[in-house]
Amino acid sequence: MADAKPFKVSDINKIRNIGISAHIDSGKTTLSERILFYGGKIHAIHEVKGKDGVGATMDSMDLEREKGITIQSAATYLNWGDYNINLIDTPGHVDFTVEVERALRVLDGAVLVMCSVAGVQSQTITVDRQMRRYGVPRLVFINKMDRAGANPFRGIDMLRDKLGINAHLINFPIGAEDQFNGVVDLLNRKAYYYDGENGENIRVEDCPAELKAKVEEARDNLVAAIADHDDEIANLYLEGKEPTEAQLIPAIARVTKSHKVVPVFCGSAVKNKGVQTLLDGVIRYLNNPSEKTNIALDQKNNEAKIELKSDQDAPFVGLAFKLEDGRYGQLTYMRVYQGKIAKGDFIYNVNSGKKVKIPRIVRMHAADMHDVETAVAGDIVALFGVECASGDTFTDGSIEYSMTSMHVPAAVISLAVAPKSRDAQVNFSKALNRFSKEDPTFRVHRDEESGETLISGMGELHLEIYVERMKREYNCEVTVGKPQVAYRETFMKRAELAYTHKKQTGGSGQFAKIGGFMEPIPAEENKNYEFVDEVVGGSIPREFIPACDKGFQEQLKKGQLIGAPVVNVRCVVNDGASHPVDSSEMAFRVCAMTAIREAYSSAQPVILEPIMKVEVSAPEEFQGSVVGQLNQRRGVILESGTNDKYFTVSANVPFSEMFGYSTTLRSATQGKGEFSMEFAKYEPVPRNVQEEMVKKYKEQRAAENK
């Protein structure tokens, strides 16, 4: 175990901000528990679903411990030697993907955990995409080397084929399954064994004779991969010289940070093997805060891009990336990018324009807090008493920089919820307000026609967790309606917009005329709505142009097929007319709304449904029934394969067909099948399904109007 030495905050080179991400059930939280133990942060190891009933340190919510899954990302910090590591353990379940997004937004490096049996799974691909989005270099830890069917070499092939990353072993496994004993470091060819009750005593010996040839081959492959991207190693390689460990370490760091090579470690967190070696790799190969480029936009200079400096003496810039309602009020997690803050300082919220005082700064250790007086560039801390929204940028007021927030995926499911008793109404409102503030993917809106409160989110589990939290944390029992899929509407062809709005009552009337067209926006442009003003010659006065935009947007909130929001629409205004007395903002807004309504049916409207990428894994003998079930649910098989008597199939399936699938899968596979799913895209529903949905919607509207 590394000695926990006092940490000097002044030395930014000795800070590592890392996240642990993976597909669900790959062992992230188990790995985090070992990291905390070896870093001296905890003195006993607890398992995720341990018999002691304590649960893993990073799973601090009761619900997390009961279900054995991570729901919220949890932050902690520890020493490794004289280095300080800020660690965020993120959820693996796709329903809580925003937790991964916001963690990776503020981190400088990451560990991608992968199961040695399953290899690359659907959520592994998602996490990889998120790491690329934020430019986060990563190490890979192939976990569960003790499991039956463990095969790290197959895992590396999958990393290369499915993720397209240049993955290379940095340590070689000694045995596998129940014979997994340790690893051989390819840099110094030494074997590392993890002795003691918790693997805390590392024994270093020579490489086992039977592995020498394989170790040399793996080392040669690693050196060749580095030489392809690093001049220093390339020169040695060309001269026929063998690079030393001292030469390889900085070279691996360079190619890792530049995303050219991804080092792969092997181990078993649950058997306490290989974790300390991984921690050494984090220190050696991942960025310190000053090595990752962070960009802000200067609001005083037309959003010019500014590269932030990881310098304590520069003006302060920090990003609030996560909010939590703690025992003592709102807890705001903040990454400090440049400058420093101290307790009692005033900071300025660039997004809201408000100035706030910092009453308290803490470092988080899961649910526990440790007070600190200051935080400097590179730190991840939490502030009390700082009201803001998730994604707000703070400065010291001398500059007005803002940072881009995290990517927030669209909701795919809605539920109608209502408190069971009137007395719980206040708590119900408090809970919804807090949850929607904390989690950008949890949305609350009121259906004007039915008067119901609808909550929307990333999946059934996501909303189920929030309903349960209302009951536990706010003593508010709720009645829940049937799940509703988040359908959308769009249209397939261009339609002309031409409408004249005239209304004459006593006194001044209303007059507005609009000409233009609406057309579909190609999916690759990734825009829900765009307004284009092509009016020339003043046919519509400038002050009424925004009213046209407002009217279009208002009308597109509900389509005419099933009342779903209309997306991927470009509305263009290029002509019109006005009246010197009767034209007004209201007249042009009504005119724009009616123009859309009248043109809608001629634009070939279609209903879009969310399509989920579903990955199912089950024993081979059930392959026929599993594939048959997916076909019955309008699934399109993408790929399938078998490994060690287990088969995996991935398919695109409409979300509306996935309700109740877990029960069906369990009964078809004697409880041995597992599946995961994530949102893939929106696609038009088949014509017959659309006709049925439109008919049902019209009947429902007719019944409501009676």
Side-chain angles (χ1 to χ4, degrees):
M1 189 192 300
D3 297 327
K5 296 174 185 172
F7 172 61
K8 294 179 187 171
V9 290
S10 58
D11 194 351
I12 199 163
N13 298 320
K14 297 205 167 174
I15 298 177
R16 297 291 181 274
N17 293 319
I18 64 159
I20 296 187
S21 303
H23 184 89
I24 190 167
D25 223 15
S26 297
K28 294 177 306 302
T29 304
T30 305
L31 175 62
S32 299
E33 190 79 359
R34 271 52 181 187
I35 288 172
L36 291 176
F37 177 76
Y38 299 130
K41 200 74 192 166
I42 57 174
H43 302 291
I45 292 172
H46 299 290
E47 301 304 342
V48 174
K49 290 183 179 175
K51 291 174 183 158
D52 58 6
V54 176
T57 307
M58 301 298 269
D59 284 348
S60 54
M61 278 173 70
D62 289 343
L63 269 170
E64 291 179 313
R65 291 177 174 180
E66 284 169 29
K67 291 182 179 286
I69 60 169
T70 302
I71 292 168
Q72 292 186 329
S73 55
T76 187
Y77 66 100
L78 63 133
N79 290 98
W80 187 246
D82 55 355
Y83 285 80
N84 179 273
I85 297 175
N86 289 312
L87 175 81
I88 299 182
D89 173 31
T90 63
H93 201 289
V94 69
D95 283 20
F96 310 107
T97 192
V98 75
E99 293 287 335
V100 187
E101 289 281 350
R102 55 177 156 209
L104 291 175
R105 171 67 186 82
V106 299
L107 293 170
D108 306 315
V111 176
L112 176 62
V113 183
M114 196 169 88
C115 172
S116 64
V117 181
V120 171
Q121 295 167 277
S122 60
Q123 194 64 6
T124 322
I125 297 169
T126 304
V127 166
D128 172 69
R129 194 166 59 239
Q130 290 167 324
M131 288 177 182
R132 289 172 195 262
R133 181 181 291 136
Y134 301 111
V136 178
R138 87 293 298 264
L139 309 177
V140 172
F141 183 66
I142 297 183
N143 192 22
K144 303 193 177 184
M145 280 298 301
D146 58 299
R147 265 187 70 184
N151 185 346
F153 308 107
R154 176 177 163 271
I156 285 179
D157 288 341
M158 291 176 82
L159 285 168
R160 292 171 185 164
D161 297 341
K162 289 194 169 188
L163 302 184
I165 60 179
N166 192 7
H168 285 272
L169 278 176
I170 206 112
N171 57 30
F172 197 91
I174 302 171
E177 302 179 341
D178 56 353
Q179 298 300 307
F180 177 64
N181 294 316
V183 295
V184 176
D185 187 330
L186 296 183
L187 277 57
N188 61 17
R189 301 178 175 90
K190 294 288 185 188
Y192 289 74
Y193 300 95
Y194 305 88
D195 299 336
E197 190 184 341
N198 297 308
E200 62 269 49
N201 304 319
I202 300 174
R203 176 164 47 93
V204 183
E205 292 187 2
D206 290 333
C207 173
E210 68 275 13
L211 288 180
K212 277 186 177 173
K214 288 181 178 176
V215 164
E216 285 307 315
E217 185 188 349
R219 191 181 199 273
D220 288 345
N221 290 339
L222 175 65
V223 172
I226 298 164
D228 284 343
H229 303 285
D230 190 84
D231 292 343
E232 190 182 317
I233 301 301
N235 291 334
L236 290 169
Y237 197 70
L238 292 170
E239 290 166 15
K241 293 178 183 173
E242 188 179 280
T244 62
E245 181 182 13
Q247 290 167 322
L248 281 171
I249 289 172
I252 295 169
R254 287 192 292 271
V255 294
T256 303
K257 291 168 188 177
S258 60
H259 307 275
K260 299 289 193 302
V261 175
V262 176
V264 180
F265 294 78
C266 297
S268 166
V270 78
K271 297 292 182 188
N272 312 310
K273 290 177 169 49
V275 179
Q276 299 96 314
T277 318
L278 173 68
L279 278 169
D280 290 337
V282 165
I283 301 302
R284 286 175 170 181
Y285 307 128
L286 292 180
N287 288 324
N288 70 54
S290 66
E291 290 175 308
K292 187 164 181 283
T293 304
N294 294 296
I295 301 292
L297 305 174
D298 189 349
Q299 300 302 310
K300 288 180 178 174
N301 186 18
N302 206 20
E303 296 206 338
K305 289 186 176 180
I306 303 286
E307 189 174 324
L308 298 177
K309 303 184 194 86
S310 298
D311 179 358
Q312 290 187 39
D313 301 321
F316 164 70
V317 179
L319 180 72
F321 66 96
K322 175 177 159 73
L323 309 179
E324 222 174 76
D325 201 31
R327 285 165 288 180
Y328 311 107
Q330 181 174 302
L331 193 59
T332 303
Y333 285 77
M334 185 175 288
R335 162 74 196 262
V336 182
Y337 282 97
Q338 73 173 31
K340 60 186 173 192
I341 46 171
K343 202 165 105 176
D345 281 357
F346 282 93
I347 54 175
Y348 171 76
N349 185 330
V350 177
N351 300 65
S352 69
K354 289 180 181 170
K355 194 176 171 186
V356 286
K357 187 178 182 181
I358 306 170
R360 187 179 174 197
I361 306 175
V362 295
R363 278 184 182 276
M364 296 302 297
H365 171 48
D368 299 332
M369 299 159 208
H370 305 146
D371 281 272
V372 291
E373 293 299 311
T374 59
V376 300
D379 278 345
I380 293 176
V381 291
L383 312 179
F384 271 108
V386 175
E387 281 294 316
C388 65
S390 188
D392 282 0
T393 307
F394 286 86
T395 68
D396 60 1
S398 67
I399 50 174
E400 210 171 302
Y401 294 172
S402 77
M403 301 190 73
T404 53
S405 189
M406 65 290 301
H407 168 76
V408 179
V412 294
I413 182 174
S414 298
L415 284 178
V417 289
K420 278 189 178 173
S421 68
R422 282 196 169 174
D423 301 346
Q425 186 68 48
V426 174
N427 281 358
F428 178 68
S429 300
K430 273 187 192 170
L432 293 182
N433 187 38
R434 173 191 156 192
F435 296 153
S436 56
K437 200 173 175 188
E438 280 182 11
D439 180 354
T441 58
F442 178 80
R443 298 167 174 93
V444 182
H445 62 282
R446 186 177 169 80
D447 187 307
E448 296 303 328
E449 286 172 13
S450 64
E452 292 177 319
T453 300
L454 296 175
I455 56 173
S456 307
M458 302 304 297
E460 287 180 276
L461 179 64
H462 188 210
L463 298 184
E464 183 190 306
I465 292 291
Y466 278 116
V467 167
E468 186 62 29
R469 285 182 66 187
M470 279 184 224
K471 181 177 159 186
R472 294 184 184 206
E473 296 171 32
Y474 286 89
N475 194 25
C476 174
E477 294 262 5
V478 293
T479 53
V480 179
K482 281 175 71 176
Q484 301 168 21
V485 177
Y487 290 105
R488 301 280 184 268
E489 292 182 31
T490 191
F491 41 80
M492 307 306 284
K493 68 176 194 180
R494 172 174 158 152
E496 297 303 313
L497 297 173
Y499 185 70
T500 304
H501 173 65
K502 279 183 186 172
K503 198 172 182 185
Q504 195 63 51
T505 51
S508 63
Q510 289 183 20
F511 179 86
K513 183 179 180 181
I514 285 177
F517 60 90
M518 60 182 190
E519 63 181 4
I521 298 176
E524 58 271 17
E525 288 189 34
N526 200 20
K527 286 180 185 172
N528 275 341
Y529 171 77
E530 186 183 3
F531 175 72
V532 181
D533 169 19
E534 289 182 358
V535 175
V536 288
S539 56
I540 299 178
R542 303 305 317 154
E543 66 266 27
F544 297 139
I545 298 291
C548 301
D549 184 13
K550 274 185 197 164
F552 291 147
Q553 289 194 56
E554 207 166 311
Q555 190 58 42
L556 293 170
K557 282 180 183 172
K558 280 198 167 188
Q560 289 171 39
L561 297 178
I562 57 166
V566 186
V567 295
N568 305 346
V569 183
R570 182 180 289 116
C571 292
V572 180
V573 177
N574 54 24
D575 196 11
S578 65
H579 185 277
V581 177
D582 291 352
S583 286
S584 64
E585 194 177 313
M586 168 68 83
F588 272 95
R589 207 171 89 217
V590 172
C591 183
M593 291 172 73
T594 316
I596 294 263
R597 267 202 307 272
E598 295 215 331
Y600 202 79
S601 56
S602 62
Q604 207 178 318
V606 293
I607 299 168
L608 298 174
E609 63 181 343
I611 304 292
M612 310 303 282
K613 187 178 180 193
V614 179
E615 191 170 280
V616 187
S617 175
E620 267 182 330
E621 67 260 33
F622 304 115
Q623 185 165 358
S625 54
V626 167
V627 171
Q629 281 178 356
L630 291 173
N631 287 330
Q632 281 173 2
R633 292 171 183 262
R634 294 197 282 128
V636 176
I637 307 296
L638 301 174
E639 60 177 340
S640 63
T642 55
N643 172 48
D644 195 42
K645 295 184 181 174
Y646 258 72
F647 84 96
T648 304
V649 59
S650 63
N652 278 347
V653 188
F655 186 45
S656 58
E657 303 286 346
M658 288 303 295
F659 294 120
Y661 180 64
S662 54
T663 309
T664 315
L665 179 66
R666 272 200 298 271
S667 59
T669 59
Q670 297 171 8
K672 295 171 187 169
E674 295 175 346
F675 83 100
S676 65
M677 68 175 179
E678 63 169 321
F679 172 72
K681 57 186 172 181
Y682 270 96
E683 269 188 1
V685 301
R687 176 60 57 190
N688 62 321
V689 177
Q690 175 161 318
E691 286 167 4
E692 188 60 38
M693 289 173 74
V694 171
K695 184 183 166 192
K696 200 171 170 185
Y697 177 69
K698 283 179 178 168
E699 287 170 358
Q700 191 183 326
R701 291 295 302 271
E704 284 169 4
N705 292 332
K706 273 185 182 177

